[in-house]
Structures are given as structure tokens and as C-alpha cells.
Amino acid sequence: MSDQFSFDFDAPISINDSPALWTPRDIWARLNQQVVEYLGEDRRFERKGCKKIGLDDLATYFSTFSNTPDGGLLIYGIEDDGTIVGCNSLSQNQLNEIETVHLVRCPQAKPEFKKFPVIINGVQDFCYAIYVPYIGKLVETNKQEAWIRYGESRHKMTVEEKQDFRSTRQELSFEQEAAPYKFPEDFDLRIIQDFCDDYRSREVVDFTNEELLIDRRLLRKVDGILKPLNSLVLLAAKDPGRTIPGCRVRIQRFATDAEGQGQTYSPLRDKTIEGNVVKILQESTEVISGIIYDVTWINEDGKFVTTPEYPPHAWFEAVVNAIVHRSYSFSGSEVFVKFFPDRMEVESPGGFIPPVNEKTIYEVRAARNHNLMDAMRYLGYVRMAREGARRIRASMKDFNLPDPQWKQEAVHGVVVRVTLHNDHASRKRATDTEVAHHFGVETWKLLQEHEIKILAYAYRNKRIQVSEAARVTGRTWHTSKKDLERLTRGGHLTFHAGEYERDPKAHYTLTPKTSS
């Protein structure tokens, strides 16, 4: 190579810098040998050696970073382990192929290219960097594949994920697609009438119901025929599951800290609710109200205090957000509401809607299903996502509970999960009220946290085995066996032996209380 380099050995990272906060564009602007050595392995850029240049593989990175907020960097001349090997071995023809591959294999990408000098064993060399900016609309390869980055991994989008990506970037909207339903026969007219009456009373407009539904983008008139849109199907159809099978919520209660699998998968409650979002929300609220325990704990004065596991505003807003802001493009995926002894999880299909993410959820607002959300707002169910998230956080604070945790994950598609914990230090030994009062405050004071979990499980399920105690407490089988024996000696449990040590028939039950 004939290119001449001039080195700048001034440190690119000052004491006041925070490289962890640099965007890929920031790294690109400061790129030199010291920067890449300082940053080490990093989710913001991908290292590439020079032994083999895979052009199809490169095209997937162009798609990946074009679809990932903040974009990303590829740097040729650095091995996966961080060893800088340089690019002197690349021919001009190979460099030309790298610079032009996107024109054919990923034409929507807008990559930028540059070389930067490096010294390897005292010999001058160079690395070849590519900055790929975020485009803001779906970028596919010439194979109609779309990729995105989650953490440090590339992820190939499914058809549903691509559709959801487009809808959240305003390329197209699932809720504005015409649906194969008849209006008004296939709809719950009570919901529609309530919406229209509430809208007219608040906005003071003189529209008929049909005019109002058309104005609010719930209905469309085509050649004189009224065509329901998916937004209206979600809001008020009698059977939205006919075309949107994921329009449902599954509510589960587990006795242990994890769901388990196979024989260990055994929820205490498992209820699926289907229908339009108004029906789902109403019935979900009723079911969850019956599932949530009142928990009792000992306060600083040594007395029992009883409160709900979770603030009503917090869990209600979490469920509303999941139902209204989820992606219905993921047609086979439902919203999950899962209760564990120490937490409640609400899992919603689809990712965050830019610019919302885990860090900005309390500060910015965005909506995936604008028209559905707007209709639900007039019916009194919905606030903007930001206000709902803030109310969840404020309600948890009022109950002396930790802030909600928001996370986007790739689990059979992309989901957003909000987790509400009920194990603040002031309620560390909390359990459901009936259990606490069964044993009484004086006994409760003497019990350790893992013993409370064991006795609570035995109370709810009428019996407990060693393996179940181990799952409930997270302790080993042998330690749990000792825990159960100690509670038996203390008169709290009664042992029912099997034929051998780990006989599945062996179990413990609560010792009946004797009347004084």
C-alpha cells in the first residue's frame, strides 16, 4: 500500500472523558490505535481479522447496525481476542470490494470508510474501519433478511419482528390495516357507544358514531363500504382472535422463584383471557385482584402489618401498558403476567418504541398503536407510556418497594418485561396474611427467612417435600432436608416417611395447632 500516515501519539482519552458513554460515532471520530486498545471488547464495534473477507457476512453487519439505534462500527485488522494484526495483507481489490459490497448486497445502508494507522512489532500498518449509521427504517440485505443487534449479538429478525420494526418507525402500521370483519355485526356496540359518547362529551363535536370512528382512524370507508381497521378489531371486536390470535393475556401464579420445566412446571394458578382489549383488561383486573396476596410482615414495633403485595396502581398500569403498547404483529404471542414469591413480571411482545428504552422510559413518550391507545384514553384506561411508567414507579415508592425494572430481551421474538419486586428490606420477611396469622407474631419473630418460605409453601399446598423446599429457598437438597427436620423438631411440621430416603411419597405437613 502506498498510503502515507501521520501518527498522533497524544492520548485520545483525557481524565475527564467517559468512554463508556461514547456512541459509535464518538469512537469513529476519535479512532486510533490507543482508542481500540483502551476500549477492548465492546458491544459498539465488531472486530474483524483479515484472513478471510466474507462479503455476505459483511452485508449482514450493514443491516444490523443500520437497524440498531446509534449504529455501529466494524474494524478490520483486529482479531476477536483484541490482537491488532493490521490490514497490510489486503489488496486494493479487496478494499474496493469492502467499500462497494453494500451497493448490491445491502443498498439501503449508508456506510462510511476510513483507515487509521497502527504500529505492530515496530512496523507501520493500518486498520480499516467502517461506520454504519442508524437509518430509522428497516434495512434488509439483498436476501430480504433484516438483522439487528441485541447486546453483543446479531439477531436475524422474523417476519413479525420486521413488521413490528416498520410499524414503530412509521413505515407502516398494523393497526391501520383493513380487517376481514363486518361492521357493525362483528363488534360489541356497547364499547363503541361508550367511546363515542365519551369522545363527544370531552371534545364537543357533533359527529355520528360512524363519522367519529372514521375520524379517529378506527373505520375506513372504501367505495361506500365501511371497512373496520385492526385498531377497531382490537378495541371492540367480539372475536378478535379470529385474525389476531395473540390478543389474549395469560396470568400465572408460581409457588417457587422460577417457573420450572417438565415435572417441576406446576403453576398454582393459570388463567388465559381472550377477547378485545377492553374485555381483556376488565377480566384481567378481576383475576389479578384475586391472585394478589395480602402480605403480612413485622414492623419496627414488633407488630404484624398487612398490605397488598404490590400497589394497585403499579400492577394495573403495568398490565395496561403491556396490553395497549404491545406489538400485535407478533400474532401468536400473548401478554404474560407471572407472579412469583418475590416478584411480579409483565411480559409484552415487541420491543421498545424508539426513542424509548430502559434508560429513557420515564423521560420520553412514544406509542406503537396510536389510534387504539387514543380510544382507550377516552374510555379512561390509558395514559401515555411515560406517564404510566412514572405512575408505576411512584406507586412502588409509596409502598417502600424498589423501582420497577424494565428490560428488553429476545425470547422467542423480542419482548419488554417489567418486573415489580416485593422484597424491600422493610418487608423482607413478608408472607401472605393467612400464613402469618396461622403461626402468630411470637413464632414469626423466631423464624428465619428460608423457614418462612418453607412454612408458607406447606400452608398453601397442604404438604411439602425436600425437593420443593430446595426450589422454594434456593438451598441444596441436603440443607433443605435439615431445614425440614429442624422445623419438625420445633413442632411446626410433621414428617410422613416413605420407604427409602428419597422416596417421592415422603413429605411433611403442618402440625395441627392444639387449642390452649
Side-chain angles (χ1 to χ4, degrees):
M1 302 296 296
S2 59
D3 301 66
Q4 297 299 312
F5 300 109
S6 59
F7 279 85
D8 177 9
F9 286 103
D10 292 335
I13 304 170
S14 73
I15 194 171
N16 296 318
D17 264 335
S18 182
L21 301 179
W22 290 356
T23 66
R25 187 73 189 184
D26 294 331
I27 299 172
W28 169 262
R30 309 183 190 202
L31 203 52
N32 64 24
Q33 185 168 356
Q34 290 168 293
V35 168
V36 295
E37 288 177 339
Y38 179 87
L39 291 177
E41 187 173 355
D42 198 284
R43 62 178 174 76
R44 294 164 289 184
F45 67 83
E46 190 75 21
R47 300 185 180 110
K48 291 289 179 183
C50 294
K51 293 180 181 178
K52 183 178 179 180
I53 306 297
L55 298 181
D56 281 337
D57 183 59
L58 179 54
T60 67
Y61 279 104
F62 286 148
S63 171
T64 298
F65 290 132
S66 296
N67 293 325
T68 303
D70 287 336
L73 284 168
L74 290 101
I75 304 178
Y76 282 95
I78 308 177
E79 299 288 357
D80 288 341
D81 63 2
T83 302
I84 299 177
V85 295
C87 294
N88 272 342
S89 61
L90 294 179
S91 68
Q92 187 60 49
N93 183 60
Q94 287 176 301
L95 293 175
N96 290 341
E97 285 183 328
I98 291 173
E99 290 190 2
T100 58
V101 62
H102 69 286
L103 299 177
V104 175
R105 287 179 168 85
C106 194
Q108 292 173 289
K110 310 286 185 190
E112 302 175 31
F113 306 88
K114 74 177 178 183
K115 303 170 184 176
F116 65 92
V118 295
I119 295 293
I120 303 171
N121 297 325
V123 178
Q124 183 172 292
D125 207 318
F126 71 97
C127 288
Y128 198 71
I130 308 171
Y131 170 66
V132 185
Y134 173 60
I135 298 299
K137 62 180 181 179
L138 190 70
V139 174
E140 297 179 292
T141 68
N142 61 333
K143 297 179 180 180
Q144 283 73 57
E145 296 176 349
W147 298 74
I148 194 168
R149 196 172 182 98
Y150 294 129
E152 297 182 6
S153 302
R154 281 178 296 173
H155 172 75
K156 183 180 176 182
M157 296 188 197
T158 63
V159 172
E160 293 85 359
E161 287 174 293
K162 289 197 284 186
Q163 185 172 11
D164 180 59
F165 187 99
R166 287 190 171 109
S167 70
T168 58
R169 275 70 174 180
Q170 309 308 311
E171 290 187 64
L172 58 85
S173 174
F174 173 82
E175 67 164 356
Q176 288 301 287
E177 294 177 3
Y181 291 76
K182 294 181 180 179
F183 182 83
E185 298 95 309
D186 292 337
F187 293 85
D188 186 333
L189 298 183
R190 292 172 300 176
I191 295 174
I192 290 174
Q193 189 64 52
D194 286 344
F195 164 68
C196 292
D197 288 344
D198 289 341
Y199 188 93
R200 280 189 288 258
S201 66
R202 292 171 63 176
E203 302 298 333
V204 194
V205 294
D206 188 22
F207 286 165
T208 66
N209 285 1
E210 289 182 3
E211 291 171 336
L212 186 51
L213 294 176
I214 293 171
D215 180 73
R216 303 319 301 165
R217 301 180 185 85
L218 302 169
L219 204 60
R220 184 182 298 149
K221 183 172 284 190
V222 180
D223 297 328
I225 299 175
L226 292 172
K227 299 284 188 181
L229 305 181
N230 278 334
S231 52
L232 186 60
V233 173
L234 291 167
L235 178 72
K238 294 176 182 177
D239 183 20
R242 177 156 60 88
T243 58
I244 312 174
C247 195
R248 59 183 183 267
V249 171
R250 189 171 179 183
I251 303 168
Q252 298 174 304
R253 177 115 217 175
F254 297 91
T256 55
D257 291 338
E259 295 179 37
Q261 55 186 347
Q263 292 183 342
T264 65
Y265 180 82
S266 183
L268 301 175
R269 294 284 300 276
D270 194 342
K271 175 73 173 177
T272 298
I273 300 168
E274 300 179 318
N276 58 62
V277 295
V278 173
K279 176 178 181 290
I280 287 175
L281 187 54
Q282 291 173 341
E283 294 189 13
S284 295
T285 301
E286 183 177 343
V287 171
I288 292 171
S289 296
I291 281 182
I292 283 185
Y293 296 140
D294 280 339
V295 296
T296 293
W297 42 285
I298 296 176
N299 65 12
E300 294 179 354
D301 298 325
K303 297 180 180 179
F304 276 150
V305 176
T306 299
T307 58
E309 277 183 292
Y310 309 96
H313 287 317
W315 66 256
F316 179 76
E317 291 288 350
V319 173
V320 170
N321 276 356
I323 293 172
V324 175
H325 295 295
R326 63 155 289 182
S327 170
Y328 286 95
S329 299
F330 291 76
S331 59
S333 302
E334 61 265 272
V335 169
F336 275 93
V337 181
K338 302 175 184 179
F339 290 89
F340 300 91
D342 64 338
R343 69 193 187 280
M344 170 187 181
E345 296 178 351
V346 182
E347 190 176 286
S348 176
F352 286 113
I353 310 113
V356 176
N357 57 41
E358 292 97 332
K359 296 179 180 178
T360 65
I361 192 165
Y362 300 112
E363 309 304 328
V364 299
R365 60 175 65 187
R368 175 179 279 109
N369 307 304
H370 296 271
N371 303 289
L372 170 65
M373 188 200 70
D374 192 53
M376 292 292 284
R377 182 166 59 87
Y378 280 101
L379 285 170
Y381 290 107
V382 171
R383 295 170 173 79
M384 290 297 292
R386 179 184 66 181
E387 279 73 20
R390 285 177 173 176
R391 192 174 191 190
I392 296 170
R393 183 176 62 177
S395 298
M396 293 291 283
K397 184 176 181 180
D398 289 344
F399 266 54
N400 273 341
L401 292 175
D403 283 350
Q405 294 180 342
W406 303 85
K407 190 173 184 180
Q408 177 174 300
E409 294 182 351
V411 181
H412 307 298
V414 184
V415 301
V416 170
R417 180 183 297 110
V418 58
T419 302
L420 308 181
H421 288 277
N422 63 23
D423 58 351
H424 191 273
S426 64
R427 293 185 4 169
K428 197 72 175 177
R429 292 157 55 88
T431 188
D432 43 309
T433 299
E434 291 183 1
V435 176
H437 286 291
H438 173 84
F439 291 97
V441 68
E442 295 306 319
T443 297
W444 218 241
K445 289 179 181 179
L446 302 176
L447 293 172
Q448 299 180 59
E449 184 180 345
H450 64 273
E451 293 175 325
I452 291 174
K453 290 180 178 179
I454 290 171
L455 293 176
Y457 186 95
Y459 181 90
R460 299 186 199 110
N461 297 277
K462 310 304 181 187
R463 53 184 283 166
I464 188 169
Q465 295 173 299
V466 180
S467 58
E468 292 170 329
R471 289 203 308 274
V472 167
T473 62
R475 292 152 75 88
T476 66
W477 191 94
H478 288 289
T479 301
S480 297
K481 174 72 172 174
K482 294 177 181 178
D483 293 337
L484 290 167
E485 290 173 348
R486 185 167 53 255
L487 289 169
T488 300
R489 291 195 299 271
H492 304 301
L493 295 175
T494 299
F495 178 56
H496 303 270
E499 296 179 6
Y500 47 90
E501 184 183 15
R502 295 206 182 193
D503 187 340
K505 295 180 182 179
H507 63 279
Y508 298 77
T509 60
L510 289 182
T511 302
K513 297 181 69 173
T514 57
S515 56
S516 56

